[in-house]
Amino acid sequence: QVQLVESGGGSAEAGGSLRLSCKTSPFATSSFCLSWFRLPPGKKREGVAAIGRDGETVYTESVKGRFAISKDGDTWEPTLYLQMNDLRPEDTAMYYCAVRLYCVTPDTSPDRYTYWGRGTQVTVSS
């Protein structure tokens, strides 16, 4: 059973930084893509960033240059990170990590991701 557990959320002032982590259980394959999504209050879920099997990354336009996605640890049981800098009030949301198995090229389409964490709240004040 694949499990994902997020941590690192909290409150920050505009311009501040937070680092999210997502600990995974072992995967059945070394080919997978990991992604961060967020659900802002009253809005639709959106993809934030994703990282592919070989480290290729993609970002939604609004976070480019401010957020950085990365992974480390065991190939089959990595930890996913999201370094968030220069935070803005519009970054306030519940953040989720998700995994898509048997994947090489990353994308941020939520329908393609099978397993999800329960989320961690990020609140940015102005």
Side-chain angles (χ1 to χ4, degrees):
Q1 181 72 16
V2 174
Q3 292 185 330
L4 304 165
V5 180
E6 302 95 337
S7 62
S11 299
E13 294 185 351
S17 298
L18 286 171
R19 190 190 194 204
L20 305 184
S21 299
C22 174
K23 184 68 183 75
T24 72
S25 60
F27 299 143
T29 175
S30 60
S31 291
F32 52 81
C33 297
L34 291 161
S35 185
W36 288 100
F37 295 87
R38 64 186 180 187
L39 182 62
K43 297 185 179 180
K44 294 175 59 176
R45 180 176 54 182
E46 65 170 344
V48 176
I51 186 165
R53 183 192 67 182
D54 301 327
E56 180 183 357
T57 58
V58 293
Y59 296 91
T60 193
E61 193 64 34
S62 64
V63 307
K64 285 182 180 178
R66 301 190 297 122
F67 290 11
I69 189 171
S70 62
K71 61 180 178 178
D72 69 4
D74 187 84
T75 300
W76 301 77
E77 190 178 352
T79 298
L80 179 69
Y81 301 98
L82 185 68
Q83 178 66 45
M84 304 186 295
N85 300 324
D86 189 24
L87 284 163
R88 304 169 181 172
E90 53 264 39
D91 295 320
T92 295
M94 184 71 80
Y95 283 72
Y96 301 88
C97 62
V99 64
R100 177 185 169 195
L101 301 181
Y102 307 102
C103 168
V104 175
T105 303
D107 67 85
T108 55
S109 301
D111 292 345
R112 296 184 178 183
Y113 286 77
T114 307
Y115 301 100
W116 294 73
R118 293 191 171 187
T120 186
Q121 178 68 37
V122 171
T123 302
V124 183
S125 58
S126 57

